[in-house]
């Protein structure tokens, strides 16, 4: 770790070595002007390095004389050890002093895949789908048993696998495959660990040296997939797209309705498969992997998405008593489903404990390490649905509420997925309302993703620009303006955006986000009430969701989405569903553990809960009707109010 000290004021922040200096300033609540998203083009984020060193990329926005004096652009500079910098007057959006926030820490960053994997005990040498090379004995008149008997004998002799089942399709292919490469074959085996192994496909020769899996988070709004090298136990890359299903409806209920006819169901199934296939093709092309080398897809999705992916009708999920067709699903042939792969490639889905609690949450709970934890843990997955789980290794209670797609950047005027160019961190100057922002990839801003939206709205609230009901209060600066559809805040001017247009947040966007956060907060309150636990008793909070690389938990608490607890109790794991799917793709033990997690979850149905609606309405304010439940936000708001008055 390295300590960055910002002068004047002496505010410090601890960051990882190599951290971007602008991100460090954002974390320290040190206001500087930075309006190009960290692209290095606005030239406004100048800082003078007084002591220590930073590694800076050259910029045409600095003269040779500037560089000689020690000026750098914060967005193009990486921290190398402890450093002291001065923020010159021209880089500050106002002359009001920065809040004296003392020592702060960086917003909660995503753990790396390796850090995650290390947290969860598993054996990566035993994936649920394997490629087993078999040296078959060639038949002769003295040894003329069947081809299948030779395969079974080799499985027993070489791997200790008895009585493996085989499909008729695979049996039909067997004679040609066995003879194609001198009686050496590779069997694609389904080995769930708790059931008899099955031969899913046969390939000529020894192809066992390269085995890959595709882990998939089948989200309602976004589908994200990762390519995993099963030999190296490494994630080679991951990629995401909005789901093709969106064309048939934004939310889960609309999809259920659309999937209630045979044609609609097949259309939705095909769209999910097409999106996954497209992402897979891209990942394979980027990493030199052929389709034949994929042995499995392991997919985690909510219950409706899982039904749709498998072509199972979700119709009865929508009406009382809300019954799914199944909670666990048979493995199926991925290629026959329309996915890229080779003979025997399997499509495996994680179990869905209830109609509104799916494999994505089971995967997230697995990735968060809760099945091994003694601590009372609150797990919150924030997506189109907000799913909440409370418990430990001994018990789990869960509920689900509709949050809408706002956190994934849809239904927001300039919202976008957490991809390059998305504004992901925002600070707003209390006096001038000038924003300081950073985008994913430090590219020119194209839009705003979930974490940027959370940051921006909580900052506008703390600056006094928003009333507690989410409407704009201050209209005296150029950044807030009236438009036909209501007031809006200009986050990025057209000349600094990558789209050539202003990037704004309006009252409808804020209302959408407030509804979403209120639903999640009310869901948490209901769970706490159900198990009779006070918020303070929660020892760990794990937040999952496709927000971006960073999520500032303090801003999330300021919004009133999560209970106010010490920041060190929070972790942000990003896409928990995808992490869990990755782990299950690598380890049959973890796949079996996912089933046990699903079995032990007690589901609390919010639609019949007497308290939920009251709790929801109370949460439709910033941060909540009862401000005393958010003492830190109350104090911060008063502190900023003092600055507003002085300014
Ligand atoms: Fe650094 Fe614009 S040049 S934020």
């Amino acid at each position: 770790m390295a300590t960055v000290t910002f002068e004047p004021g002496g505010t410090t922040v601890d960051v990882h070595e190599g951290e971007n200096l602008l991100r460090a300033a954002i974390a320290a609540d040190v206001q500087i002007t930075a309006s190009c998203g960290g692209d290095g083009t606005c030239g406004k984020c100048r800082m003078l390095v007084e002591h220590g060193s930073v590694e800076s990329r050259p910029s045409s926005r600095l003269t040779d004389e500037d560089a000689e004096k020690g000026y750098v652009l914060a967005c193009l500079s990486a921290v190398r050890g402890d450093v002291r910098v001065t923020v010159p007057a021209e880089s500050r959006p106002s002359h009001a002093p920065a809040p004296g926030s003392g020592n702060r820490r960086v917003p909660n960053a995503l753990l790396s895949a390796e850090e995650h994997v290390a947290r969860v005990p598993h054996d990566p040498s035993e994936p649920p789908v394997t490629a087993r090379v078999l040296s078959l004995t060639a038949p002769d008149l003295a040894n003329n048993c069947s081809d299948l008997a030779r395969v079974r004998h080799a499985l027993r002799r070489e791997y200790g696998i008895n009585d493996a089942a085989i499909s008729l399709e695979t049996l039909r292919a067997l004679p040609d495959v066995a003879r194609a490469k001198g009686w050496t074959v590779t069997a694609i085996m389904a080995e769930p660990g708790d059931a008899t192994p099955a031969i899913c496909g046969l390939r000529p020769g020894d192809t066992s040296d390269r085995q890959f899996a595709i882990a998939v988070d089948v989200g309602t709004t976004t589908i994200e997939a990762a390519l995993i090298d099963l030999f190296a136990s490494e994630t080679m890359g991951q990629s995401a797209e909005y789901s093709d299903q969106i064309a048939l409806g934004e939310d889960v209920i609309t999809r259920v309705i659309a999937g209630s006819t045979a044609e609609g169901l097949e259309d939705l199934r095909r769209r999910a498969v097409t999106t996954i296939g497209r992402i897979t093709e891209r990942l394979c092309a980027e990493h030199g992997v052929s389709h034949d080398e994929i042995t499995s897809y392991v997919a985690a999705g909510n219950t409706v998405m899982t039904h749709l992916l498998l072509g199972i009708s979700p119709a009865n999920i929508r009406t009382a008593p809300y019954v799914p067709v199944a909670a666990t699903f048979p493995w199926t042939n991925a290629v026959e489903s329309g996915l890229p792969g080779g003979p025997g490639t399997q499509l495996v889905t994680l179990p869905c404990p209830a109609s509104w609690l799916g494999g994505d949450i089971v995967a997230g709970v697995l990735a968060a390490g809760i099945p091994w934890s003694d601590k009372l843990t609150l797990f919150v997955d924030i997506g189109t649905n907000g799913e909440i789980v409370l418990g430990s290794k001994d018990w789990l209670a869960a509920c689900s509420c509709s949050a809408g797609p706002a956190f994934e950047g849809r239904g927001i005027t300039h919202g976008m997925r957490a991809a390059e160019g998305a504004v992901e961190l925002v600070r707003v100057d209390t006096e001038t309302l000038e924003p300081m922002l950073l985008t994913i990839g430090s590219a020119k801003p194209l839009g705003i993703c979930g974490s940027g939206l959370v940051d921006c709205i909580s900052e506008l609230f703390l600056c006094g620009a928003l009333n507690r009901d989410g409407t704009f209060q201050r209209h005296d600066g150029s950044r807030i303006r009236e438009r036909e559809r209501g007031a809006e805040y200009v986050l990025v001017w057209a000349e600094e955006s990558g789209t050539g247009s202003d990037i704004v947040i309006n009252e409808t966007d804020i209302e959408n986000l407030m509804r979403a956060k209120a639903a999640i907060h009310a869901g948490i309150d209901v769970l706490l009430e159900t198990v009779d636990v006070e918020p303070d008793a929660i020892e760990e909070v794990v937040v999952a969701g496709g927000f971006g690389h960073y999520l500032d938990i303090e801003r999330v608490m300021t919004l009133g989405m999560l209970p106010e607890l010490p920041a060190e109790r929070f972790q942000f794991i990003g896409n928990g569903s995808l992490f869990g799917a990755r782990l299950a793709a690598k380890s049959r033990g973890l796949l079996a553990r996912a089933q046990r997690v699903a079995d032990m979850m007690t589901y609390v149905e919010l639609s019949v809960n007497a308290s939920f609606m009251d709790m929801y309405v109370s949460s439709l304010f910033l941060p909540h009707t009862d401000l005393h439940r958010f003492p830190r936000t109350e104090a911060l708001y008063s502190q900023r109010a003092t600055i507003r008055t002085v300014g």
Side-chain angles (χ1 to χ4, degrees):
M1 296 291 279
T3 300
V4 184
T5 306
F6 294 94
E7 304 288 0
T11 304
T12 62
V13 64
D14 295 330
V15 299
H16 290 291
E17 187 90 8
E19 182 59 281
N20 179 283
L21 189 53
L22 179 58
R23 198 184 299 278
I26 289 175
D29 272 349
V30 170
Q31 295 288 345
I32 60 172
T33 37
S35 51
C36 69
D39 182 46
T41 52
C42 73
K44 292 175 180 169
C45 63
R46 286 158 57 96
M47 287 189 191
L48 182 62
V49 180
E50 305 277 5
H51 179 76
S53 86
V54 298
E55 192 177 308
S56 279
R57 283 185 280 142
S59 165
S60 60
R61 306 306 303 249
L62 290 175
T63 63
D64 290 347
E65 197 183 338
D66 286 334
E68 266 168 39
K69 284 180 182 164
Y71 281 99
V72 295
L73 289 183
C75 67
L76 299 183
S77 302
V79 173
R80 298 285 174 221
D82 292 351
V83 65
R84 176 185 290 117
V85 295
T86 291
V87 183
E90 69 271 19
S91 297
R92 284 180 245 150
S94 74
H95 297 291
S101 50
N103 187 281
R104 302 224 34 222
R105 53 183 219 150
V106 286
N108 301 58
L110 284 180
L111 296 178
S112 70
E114 289 65 34
E115 285 172 307
H116 259 288
V117 168
R119 288 160 48 98
V120 179
H122 69 289
D123 181 356
S125 68
E126 294 197 331
V129 181
T130 54
R132 305 271 194 194
V133 60
L134 304 173
S135 301
L136 307 180
T137 313
D140 56 31
L141 287 176
N143 177 5
N144 59 356
C145 66
S146 70
D147 291 348
L148 179 58
R150 276 163 221 289
V151 169
R152 288 209 168 115
H153 179 70
L155 278 171
R156 190 162 47 244
R157 185 185 65 225
E158 294 172 32
Y159 300 105
I161 294 172
N162 292 312
D163 304 324
I166 189 166
S167 67
L168 180 58
E169 277 309 305
T170 309
L171 206 51
R172 283 177 179 149
L174 174 56
D176 289 344
V177 173
R179 288 162 180 82
K181 292 268 173 89
W183 293 94
T184 297
V185 301
T186 300
I188 305 303
M189 302 290 301
E191 300 185 44
D194 54 359
T196 310
I199 306 163
C200 308
L202 291 167
R203 302 171 184 191
D206 180 359
T207 65
S208 63
D209 59 332
R210 281 171 61 85
Q211 298 178 36
F212 298 88
I214 302 285
V216 192
D217 164 41
V218 192
T220 307
T221 303
T222 306
I223 293 183
E224 186 162 18
L227 173 66
I228 301 164
D229 181 337
L230 291 173
F231 257 123
S233 192
E234 259 176 26
T235 298
M236 302 180 72
Q238 71 187 58
S239 186
E241 282 187 21
Y242 284 134
S243 169
D244 283 2
Q245 287 187 352
I246 288 174
L248 299 185
E250 292 267 352
D251 58 74
V252 181
I253 294 294
T254 321
R255 305 273 177 91
V256 173
I257 295 167
S260 297
T261 64
E263 306 78 53
L265 179 60
E266 175 54 18
D267 192 8
L268 284 161
R269 189 199 70 78
R270 199 172 35 74
R271 285 170 185 271
V273 163
T274 303
T275 312
I276 297 169
R278 213 166 42 235
I279 300 171
T280 301
E281 299 275 9
R282 192 161 61 237
L283 286 169
C284 285
E286 279 168 13
H287 298 280
V289 172
S290 77
H291 296 172
D292 276 1
E293 293 169 337
I294 301 169
T295 52
S296 64
Y297 289 78
V298 175
N302 66 45
T303 309
V304 171
M305 291 304 118
T306 304
H307 276 58
L308 294 177
L309 175 65
L310 297 174
I312 300 169
S313 171
N316 295 316
I317 291 177
R318 189 168 69 97
T319 50
Y322 314 112
V323 178
V325 173
T328 56
F329 305 90
W331 299 11
T332 184
N333 186 301
V335 177
E336 285 171 12
S337 298
L339 292 164
T345 302
Q346 292 293 286
L347 170 59
V348 179
T349 49
L350 266 70
C352 300
S355 281
W356 300 110
L357 194 68
D360 49 349
I361 303 311
V362 170
V365 166
L366 201 68
I370 299 173
W372 297 270
S373 176
D374 290 318
K375 291 182 178 172
L376 178 61
T377 305
L378 175 68
F379 173 87
V380 186
D381 188 293
I382 302 166
T384 312
N385 266 15
E387 278 105 354
I388 303 150
V389 182
L390 184 66
S392 64
K393 67 181 171 58
D394 299 318
W395 59 272
L396 294 167
C399 67
S400 171
C401 52
S402 174
F407 291 114
E408 295 183 58
R410 286 189 68 86
I412 298 297
T413 308
H414 290 121
M416 66 177 280
R417 204 163 49 73
E420 186 164 303
V423 175
E424 66 168 349
L425 282 174
V426 181
R427 293 293 178 270
V428 177
D429 183 73
T430 305
E431 189 182 330
T432 64
L433 299 188
E434 283 301 305
M436 170 167 71
L437 50 96
L438 200 62
T439 60
I440 296 176
S442 295
K444 269 189 179 295
L446 298 173
I448 184 161
C449 68
S451 60
L453 199 62
V454 166
D455 264 16
C456 191
I457 294 174
S458 62
E459 281 286 299
L460 289 172
F461 168 60
L462 289 175
C463 288
L466 287 181
N467 294 308
R468 289 187 54 209
D469 64 359
T471 55
F472 281 104
Q473 185 179 59
R474 293 169 56 188
H475 293 250
D476 54 350
S478 64
R479 289 270 173 182
I480 296 178
R481 63 191 186 192
E482 284 292 343
R483 284 291 186 266
E484 222 169 79
R485 60 190 169 193
E488 63 186 25
Y489 172 76
V490 184
L491 182 63
V492 186
W493 295 113
E495 55 270 27
E496 282 163 344
S497 82
T499 60
S501 304
D502 293 345
I503 294 174
V504 305
I505 291 173
N506 61 33
E507 287 180 340
T508 308
D509 300 333
I510 295 167
E511 191 183 326
N512 283 340
L513 192 87
M514 284 178 63
R515 284 180 196 276
K517 76 94 185 172
I520 289 164
H521 190 267
I524 294 170
D525 274 354
V526 167
L527 270 195
L528 289 169
E529 184 186 74
T530 304
V531 299
D532 195 17
V533 164
E534 290 298 316
D536 269 356
I538 299 168
E539 295 170 274
E540 196 161 75
V541 183
V542 180
V543 183
F547 285 99
H549 302 98
Y550 288 84
L551 184 67
D552 193 327
I553 293 298
E554 291 188 5
R555 266 39 187 197
V556 175
M557 287 191 278
T558 298
L559 275 189
M561 180 154 56
L562 300 177
E564 265 196 13
L565 293 168
E568 57 273 14
R569 292 191 201 173
F570 288 83
Q571 283 176 48
F572 169 44
I573 65 166
N575 189 337
S577 171
L578 185 62
F579 262 120
R582 279 180 183 178
L583 289 165
K586 288 200 246 188
S587 162
R588 71 187 68 150
L590 284 185
L591 190 61
R593 178 64 78 139
Q595 184 61 57
R596 290 208 286 283
V597 167
D599 291 343
M600 72 190 280
M601 276 187 182
T602 302
Y603 184 63
V604 177
E605 178 60 60
L606 294 181
S607 65
V608 295
N609 186 282
S611 305
F612 177 71
M613 193 44 74
D614 286 345
M615 290 172 171
Y616 172 73
V617 172
S618 298
S619 301
L620 277 173
F621 285 83
L622 292 170
H624 191 273
T625 316
D626 181 2
L627 197 53
H628 298 309
R629 291 182 61 180
F630 292 81
R632 194 197 63 84
T633 300
E634 196 176 8
L636 206 51
Y637 187 77
S638 309
Q639 185 189 17
R640 296 264 190 127
T642 308
I643 295 167
R644 287 196 295 276
T645 310
V646 171

